[in-house]
């Protein structure tokens, strides 16, 4: 894939660089914030090679690329100046509050997902090594890997400060300094000492609540949001001569003190309230949320709103030590999507779909579902329905048994070890059972429901209609060959498959004999004898073209029995050809039968899905 060419095409189809306010990317999609979404050509984007789909949701215009998204993102950033000109302060934002919140949360959490995923995966590996007794939790190796994983969570406020600063358009280094204030060892020591002594901490007489902010989410986001108002104020009141010194000083002091005394504690309290709400749901209806999320996760992924659940899952782990809602439900949905895609790969005879479904099924089982969702399940519909059924039943099992996730990570089979925790392995075993339920149900549902021909019902109705017509009236066109009648779309020459020459059908011959399909006159027979044009007595004009590119044979292996101007009846021999010899030469012998004056008729109805013999009715033209 040429990433540079694809990047240029995407920039053009979203309305050009001047229409882009900002751009970030997640694991599989480019997330644009556009000034005018109407300038984006969604139809052309969806048909662009290398693009799986395009949707506009949550205030973002999302272009789904798949696992190569980082390469395309890099090319776009290299050929644009989005870092310097991606914002437009004069642009009025008419989005709803909900859309703005989702866009903000997505923009803050998407950039830090690799760090969180890495930390979660290290935790998963450690859990697996401890469970299999390869490592002891008292060994130095374990301790080193453990603090490496903990770093991603412990310093989460600093990571969030950086991404939030870019989202709120403030100085990222000042924002990270505020995160550092919340995590400074001296502050942590002061809090611990005050708790033990039963005393308090104050600055200028303002009380600093005794809260801990390691691994926290909301406090730093609220702090950087506050900074987005304080920093412009500091810029305004600072004299130009000393602005370089006074602007960061004023910003750091005001935001730092406000974070310690008010904003941080407020975020801490909100996090605690969320945790209590989750605990209440677990007590009275533990099955409800995992079931709903298991069913609806594909829809949330399609709209990009699933990132709004990430902070809830992280907050659960950081406040309660585990997550029973977001992670388990999304894992159930992800593996169900992978299983549904695998079922379709086994059922389909389409080689391209088979390859796409099998490869995207693997990535879905590992936790990245967009390739399977957009490339297979959404297009077939059956895959989507099957994954929703499997995801819902798996989520129901997780909820009933209160399955807990003890660390974060992309929800899939690779992160199953994060369910190892507690005094026994019971939780892990339940997690494995829930995954199996989701996969088996989705696989069976997709395998049973999927039909390789997308329009089976339409074809059956069409065939019945033709058979009824040919029984009631004299057929217009009979089969000129014996073989299998198929749709023109299966002819690998677009001149025929796209109906450029006219409508009709094709026959894959089983013997080398062509007879007249109508009563009429031979209008033309090519000197290479591979094609015959006939005009029926009722005005229907037909072309019978034996094989593809057989004109190159120059008449070799063909023997004509008629000439131009000859009158013929249904069944009159026209041409004989050596079927096996032509095949040995490497030619496709599929034979289109075309009504070349299709425009003269209201409808051309053809049988295209059964075996036929010379003289069988196959086409009816309707005035």
């Amino acid at each position: 894939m040429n990433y540079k060419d694809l990047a240029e095409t995407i920039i053009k189809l979203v309305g050009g660089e001047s229409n882009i306010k900002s751009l970030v990317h997640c694991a599989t999609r480019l997330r644009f914030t556009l000034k005018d979404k109407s300038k984006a050509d969604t139809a052309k984007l969806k048909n662009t090679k290398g693009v799986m789909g395009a949707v506009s949701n949550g205030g973002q215009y999302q272009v789904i690329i798949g696992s190569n998204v980082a390469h395309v993102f890099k090319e776009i950033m290299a050929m644009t100046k989005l870092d310097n000109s991606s914002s437009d302060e004069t642009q009025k934002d008419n989005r709803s509050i909900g859309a703005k919140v989702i866009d903000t949360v997505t923009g803050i959490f998407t950039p830090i997902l690799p760090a969180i995923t890495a930390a979660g995966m290290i935790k998963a590996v450690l859990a697996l090594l401890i469970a299999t007794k390869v490592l002891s939790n008292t060994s130095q190796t374990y301790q080193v890997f453990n603090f490496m994983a903990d770093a991603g969570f412990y310093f989460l406020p600093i990571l969030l400060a950086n991404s939030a600063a870019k989202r709120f358009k403030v100085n990222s280094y000042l924002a990270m300094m505020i995160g550092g204030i919340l995590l400074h060892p001296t502050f942590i020591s002061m809090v611990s000492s005050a708790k033990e002594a039963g005393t308090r901490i104050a600055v200028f007489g303002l009380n600093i609540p005794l809260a801990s902010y390691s691994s926290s989410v909301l406090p730093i986001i609220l702090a950087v949001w506050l900074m987005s108002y304080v920093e412009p104020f500091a810029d305004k009141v600072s004299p130009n001569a000393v602005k370089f010194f006074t602007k960061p000083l004023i910003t750091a002091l005001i935001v730092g003190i406000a974070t310690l005394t008010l904003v941080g504690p407020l975020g801490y309290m909100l996090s605690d309230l969320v945790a209590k709400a989750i605990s209440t749901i677990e007590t009275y209806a533990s099955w409800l949320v995992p079931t709903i999320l298991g069913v609806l996760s594909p829809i949330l992924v399609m709209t990009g709103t699933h990132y709004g659940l990430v902070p809830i899952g992280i907050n659960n782990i950081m406040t309660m030590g585990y997550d029973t809602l977001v992670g388990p439900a999304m894992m159930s949905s992800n593996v169900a999507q992978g299983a549904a895609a695998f079922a379709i790969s086994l059922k389909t005879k389409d080689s391209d779909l088979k390859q796409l479904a099998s490869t995207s099924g693997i990535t879905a089982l590992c936790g990245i579902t967009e390739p399977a969702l957009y490339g297979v399940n959404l297009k077939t519909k059956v895959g989507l329905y099957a994954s929703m059924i499997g995801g819902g039943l798996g989520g129901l099992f997780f909820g009933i048994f209160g399955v807990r996730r003890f660390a974060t990570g992309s929800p899939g089979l690779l992160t199953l070890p994060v369910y190892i925790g507690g005094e026994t392995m019971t939780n892990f075993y339940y997690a494995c059972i829930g995954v199996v339920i989701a996969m088996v149900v989705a696989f069976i549902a997709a395998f049973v429901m999927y039909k390789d021909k997308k329009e089976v019902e339409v074809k059956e109705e069409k065939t019945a209609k033709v058979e009824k017509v040919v029984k009631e009236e004299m057929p217009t066109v009979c089969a000129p060959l014996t073989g299998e009648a198929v749709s023109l779309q299966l002819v690998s020459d677009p001149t025929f498959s796209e109906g450029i020459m006219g409508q009709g059908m094709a026959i894959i011959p089983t013997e080398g004999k062509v007879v007249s399909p109508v009563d009429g006159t031979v209008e033309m027979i090519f000197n290479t004898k591979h094609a015959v044009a006939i005009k029926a007595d009722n005005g229907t004009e037909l072309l019978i073209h034996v094989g593809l590119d057989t004109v190159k044979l120059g008449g070799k292996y063909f023997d004509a029995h008629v000439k131009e101007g000859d009158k013929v009846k249904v069944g009159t021999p026209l041409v004989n050809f050596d079927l096996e010899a032509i095949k040995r030469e490497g030619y496709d012998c599929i034979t289109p039968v075309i009504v070349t004056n299709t425009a003269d008729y209201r409808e051309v109805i053809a049988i295209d899905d059964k075996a036929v013999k010379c003289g069988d009715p196959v086409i009816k033209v309707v005035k």
Side-chain angles (χ1 to χ4, degrees):
M1 181 185 297
N2 190 316
Y3 301 119
K4 184 176 181 179
D5 290 347
L6 179 57
E8 289 177 347
T9 301
I10 291 173
I11 292 172
K12 178 182 177 181
L13 294 179
V14 298
E17 181 180 349
S18 61
N19 193 40
I20 304 173
K21 290 178 67 177
S22 64
L23 171 64
V24 295
H25 77 87
C26 57
T28 56
R29 64 183 80 189
L30 299 168
R31 295 171 172 272
F32 292 92
T33 300
L34 301 180
K35 297 175 183 178
D36 184 356
K37 292 179 185 175
S38 65
K39 292 183 179 180
D41 194 332
T42 302
K44 285 187 178 180
L45 271 169
K46 289 181 177 180
N47 291 321
T48 299
K49 185 177 181 180
V51 174
M52 292 184 174
V55 293
S56 179
N57 281 292
Q60 292 183 325
Y61 190 82
Q62 303 166 17
V63 180
I64 299 92
I65 303 296
S67 57
N68 294 318
V69 65
H71 299 292
V72 181
F73 175 82
K74 182 179 179 180
E75 292 293 344
I76 292 177
M77 299 307 288
M79 65 180 63
T80 61
K81 298 180 179 179
L82 292 178
D83 280 340
N84 299 321
S85 60
S86 61
S87 64
D88 185 353
E89 302 298 336
T90 63
Q91 184 77 16
K92 186 176 180 181
D93 194 342
N94 294 318
R95 295 175 297 165
S96 66
I97 293 177
K100 292 178 183 177
V101 170
I102 292 173
D103 185 28
T104 300
V105 170
T106 300
I108 292 172
F109 276 89
T110 298
I112 70 166
L113 286 179
I116 296 175
T117 300
M121 288 304 296
I122 294 175
K123 286 283 189 182
V125 171
L126 278 178
L128 192 59
L129 293 176
I130 293 296
T132 56
K133 301 188 184 303
V134 174
L135 277 182
S136 166
N137 57 10
T138 59
S139 68
Q140 287 189 342
T141 301
Y142 171 85
Q143 292 172 13
V144 169
F145 277 100
N146 194 46
F147 79 67
M148 287 173 61
D150 283 342
F153 300 114
Y154 184 88
F155 294 104
L156 188 59
I158 296 179
L159 301 178
L160 288 170
N162 181 48
S163 58
K166 294 176 180 178
R167 198 66 194 171
F168 292 122
K169 299 180 177 62
V170 297
N171 187 284
S172 59
Y173 297 99
L174 276 175
M176 287 189 285
M177 177 184 173
I178 301 302
I181 289 173
L182 294 176
L183 300 176
H184 197 281
T186 300
F187 173 61
I188 294 173
S189 177
M190 291 175 68
V191 170
S192 298
S193 299
K195 285 182 177 179
E196 291 177 5
T199 58
R200 59 191 290 267
I201 305 174
V203 56
F204 297 130
L206 298 173
N207 182 58
I208 297 179
L210 305 180
S212 174
Y213 298 104
S214 62
S215 306
S216 61
V217 173
L218 287 179
I220 190 61
I221 293 177
L222 293 177
V224 178
W225 172 74
L226 174 63
M227 184 184 288
S228 68
Y229 292 94
V230 174
E231 192 174 53
F233 167 77
D235 181 75
K236 184 177 180 180
V237 300
S238 296
N240 288 332
V242 292
K243 183 176 291 187
F244 179 80
F245 306 99
T246 57
K247 177 181 175 181
L249 172 64
I250 294 170
T251 302
L253 283 176
I254 293 177
V255 177
I257 293 173
T259 299
L260 290 171
T261 59
L262 179 63
V263 176
L266 175 61
Y268 185 87
M269 181 183 69
L270 291 174
S271 296
D272 191 54
L273 287 175
V274 171
K276 289 180 179 178
I278 298 298
S279 179
T280 302
I281 293 174
E282 282 187 307
T283 301
Y284 296 102
S286 63
W287 58 270
L288 182 61
V289 176
T291 303
I292 294 174
L293 290 182
V295 173
L296 297 182
S297 279
I299 309 300
L300 297 178
V301 172
M302 286 165 55
T303 59
T305 54
H306 62 302
Y307 281 108
L309 300 173
V310 173
I312 298 175
I314 294 174
N315 186 74
N316 292 344
I317 293 173
M318 300 314 166
T319 55
M320 300 187 299
Y322 59 84
D323 169 37
T324 59
L325 302 183
V326 179
M330 295 193 75
M331 181 169 71
S332 176
S333 176
N334 289 354
V335 298
Q337 286 213 56
F342 269 122
I344 291 172
S345 74
L346 293 177
K347 191 83 176 285
T348 184
K349 296 180 181 177
D350 184 326
S351 58
D352 291 335
L353 179 59
K354 184 182 290 290
Q355 181 179 6
L356 175 61
S358 59
T359 55
S360 63
I362 294 174
T363 61
L365 291 177
C366 293
I368 303 298
T369 60
E370 278 89 345
L373 175 62
Y374 287 98
V376 181
N377 295 337
L378 190 58
K379 287 183 178 179
T380 62
K381 298 294 190 298
V382 166
L384 176 63
Y385 302 148
S387 65
M388 293 175 75
I389 295 170
L393 290 176
L396 177 62
F397 179 88
F398 282 132
I400 291 174
F401 288 92
V403 178
R404 299 179 175 187
R405 174 180 69 154
F406 297 99
T408 61
S410 186
L413 296 182
L414 294 181
T415 54
L416 265 176
V418 302
Y419 291 82
I420 299 175
E423 297 179 356
T424 69
M425 292 288 288
T426 303
N427 186 78
F428 175 71
Y429 298 147
Y430 281 149
C432 294
I433 294 171
V435 164
V436 171
I437 290 173
M439 292 173 61
V440 170
V441 171
F443 183 92
I444 293 174
F447 195 85
V448 171
M449 292 190 293
Y450 180 74
K451 305 296 180 185
D452 214 21
K453 295 180 180 179
K454 297 180 181 178
E455 302 294 337
V456 173
E457 296 81 9
V458 174
K459 283 194 171 187
E460 289 175 349
E461 180 182 349
K462 183 178 177 181
T463 301
K465 183 176 180 181
V466 175
E467 290 176 344
K468 181 180 178 181
V469 169
V470 297
K471 286 178 181 178
E472 294 176 352
E473 303 177 32
M474 180 178 291
T476 300
V477 180
C478 295
L481 301 98
T482 295
E484 181 183 2
V486 296
S487 169
L488 275 182
Q489 294 179 353
L490 296 182
V491 179
S492 59
D493 186 337
T495 302
F496 299 113
S497 63
E498 295 179 9
I500 296 173
M501 293 287 294
Q503 299 301 312
M505 43 84 73
I507 296 175
I508 301 174
T510 54
E511 62 178 59
K513 182 175 70 173
V514 182
V515 301
S516 176
V518 293
D519 294 340
T521 304
V522 176
E523 292 285 294
M524 179 178 63
I525 182 165
F526 286 66
N527 57 7
T528 54
K529 309 167 191 174
H530 74 289
V532 183
I534 298 177
K535 184 174 183 178
D537 292 340
N538 61 10
T540 303
E541 298 175 6
L542 299 167
L543 173 67
I544 306 166
H545 192 287
V546 180
L548 303 181
D549 292 328
T550 46
V551 64
K552 296 177 182 178
L553 291 171
K556 184 180 179 182
Y557 306 127
F558 288 90
D559 185 20
H561 300 294
V562 292
K563 60 182 182 299
E564 292 181 10
D566 283 358
K567 291 287 184 179
V568 292
K569 296 286 185 181
V570 173
T572 300
L574 300 178
V575 174
N576 283 1
F577 58 95
D578 191 331
L579 178 62
E580 296 304 321
I582 294 173
K583 286 182 179 180
R584 284 196 298 270
E585 293 277 357
Y587 291 89
D588 186 349
C589 291
I590 190 170
T591 301
V593 182
I594 307 296
V595 178
T596 55
N597 62 336
T598 294
D600 295 341
Y601 298 97
R602 179 165 56 87
E603 190 174 8
V604 175
I605 307 170
I607 289 176
D608 56 13
D609 58 355
K610 71 175 189 178
V612 294
K613 295 184 295 184
C614 289
D616 287 349
V618 290
I619 298 176
K620 172 68 180 179
V621 291
V622 182
K623 281 286 188 180

